[in-house]
Amino acid sequence: MAKVRVRDVELNVYDQGNGDPLLFVHGFPLNHTMWQQQLKMFAETNRVIAPDLRGFGESTVADGPLSMEQFAEDLNGLLDTLGVEQPICYCGLSMGGYIAWPFLQHYGPRVGSLILCDTRSAADTNDAAENRRKLATAVLKNGSNVAAEGMLPKLVSPPTLKERPQIVDSLRAMILATEPASIAGALEGMAVRPDSTESLGEIQVPTLVIVGVDDELTSPAEMSSLAGRIPNSVFVEIPGAGHMSVMENPAAVNEAIGRFLASSP
Ligand code: MLT
């Protein structure tokens, strides 16, 4: 791991391997370790870059709202600082996907291919935004465990929740290690993010869309419709997995990513 100064923050970054660059962008309120099973495998064939976003993991704690635009700017600055000149494969899960939209909008030429896991292009409904603000208030008052207890049952499939404590404990630990201010900041940033559905038709790069069959937060139906709007896309459903498909069934996810990378120019 390395600490890399980007704009006004220090980002903690996993940067290993050689070959075509593959950028992994984690979900909320997690950190780069959620990609552990992908990092191990793809560092053998690619340059794998997996940062902790501003406010998360071992990166600088955030203060105030954290917009998806700001995260995208940080990622662009990070790639500059790391001297990445070739087009990357951008792989984001959930909030990592929300950040892909402004990243594509502002730094499109940097993206050679795209992997979208368990995410959506739609903005929050008023109710969803309101719930995020309530959660932010509760977390600031009572701590990150409020987010952990509220979110864990929705992050993984029912069988994972019941029978795979290692995955649940690891997710809980990531959430508890995140400062309340960063959780609240990202909740506000997600609540105000714009709808990106109209821009999906403009994505020209090869795109892989992945979803856990039991994903309750970003359903297979919603992701299938997202994939249907992206001209050059492949849609893959991951069995035995919920929202955290990449942790719950890494073998199937890695197989899909490996096949996609081999077939992308
Ligand atoms: C995530 O996994 O990043 C979150 O579920 C995103 C969200 O809360 O919308």
Side-chain angles (χ1 to χ4, degrees):
M1 296 302 299
K3 287 270 166 46
V4 179
R5 183 96 208 153
V6 178
R7 309 196 306 144
D8 58 331
V9 286
E10 256 194 357
L11 298 183
N12 185 50
V13 185
Y14 174 98
D15 178 10
Q16 294 289 317
N18 297 299
D20 295 337
L22 184 45
L23 176 70
F24 286 102
V25 186
H26 64 76
F28 167 86
L30 308 173
N31 60 56
H32 82 279
T33 60
M34 59 157 272
W35 297 110
Q36 209 166 17
Q37 298 302 321
Q38 286 69 45
L39 304 185
K40 254 202 305 206
M41 172 156 165
F42 292 103
E44 287 175 17
T45 50
N46 290 73
R47 179 174 180 186
V48 167
I49 301 168
D52 289 338
L53 293 166
R54 173 189 292 255
F56 295 87
E58 308 273 312
S59 292
T60 309
V61 173
D63 195 15
L66 288 169
S67 69
M68 303 302 109
E69 293 261 344
Q70 187 176 27
F71 287 133
E73 273 180 64
D74 286 348
L75 293 176
N76 183 57
L78 174 67
L79 295 174
D80 283 345
T81 308
L82 295 179
V84 177
E85 284 170 7
Q86 291 158 267
I88 58 161
C89 174
Y90 181 113
C91 177
L93 182 136
S94 201
M95 186 176 79
Y98 306 163
I99 300 166
W101 313 133
F103 193 88
L104 283 164
Q105 189 189 347
H106 299 299
Y107 316 110
R110 282 207 114 130
V111 181
S113 59
L114 184 61
I115 304 175
L116 299 166
C117 312
D118 305 271
T119 190
R120 62 162 52 91
S121 55
D124 275 4
T125 59
N126 288 341
D127 280 356
E130 177 65 23
N131 286 337
R132 288 201 199 274
R133 293 191 171 111
K134 282 190 194 143
L135 180 59
T137 305
V139 166
L140 288 173
K141 187 160 176 242
N142 297 316
S144 305
N145 59 312
V146 179
E149 294 324 312
M151 290 187 69
L152 280 171
K154 295 182 221 144
L155 283 178
V156 294
S157 71
T160 302
L161 190 65
K162 219 166 129 204
E163 292 151 26
R164 300 174 71 191
Q166 226 182 327
I167 293 179
V168 178
D169 290 349
S170 148
L171 285 164
R172 180 181 292 107
M174 284 187 237
I175 301 174
L176 293 182
T178 310
E179 288 293 328
S182 299
I183 294 182
L187 284 165
E188 182 56 29
M190 288 191 285
V192 298
R193 74 189 195 284
D195 195 307
S196 298
T197 308
E198 286 303 315
S199 65
L200 296 177
E202 290 157 24
I203 297 176
Q204 297 302 330
V205 294
T207 302
L208 171 64
V209 178
I210 286 177
V211 66
V213 287
D214 292 323
D215 188 338
E216 277 186 41
L217 292 174
T218 48
S219 70
E222 185 171 5
M223 288 221 71
S224 161
S225 138
L226 178 149
R229 289 171 179 267
I230 301 178
N232 187 6
S233 68
V234 184
F235 177 59
V236 176
E237 290 189 69
I238 303 296
H243 190 61
M244 295 309 299
S245 58
V246 306
M247 293 174 73
E248 296 179 74
N249 192 345
V253 167
N254 289 1
E255 214 256 321
I257 295 178
R259 214 170 339 115
F260 172 71
L261 293 177
S263 69
S264 308

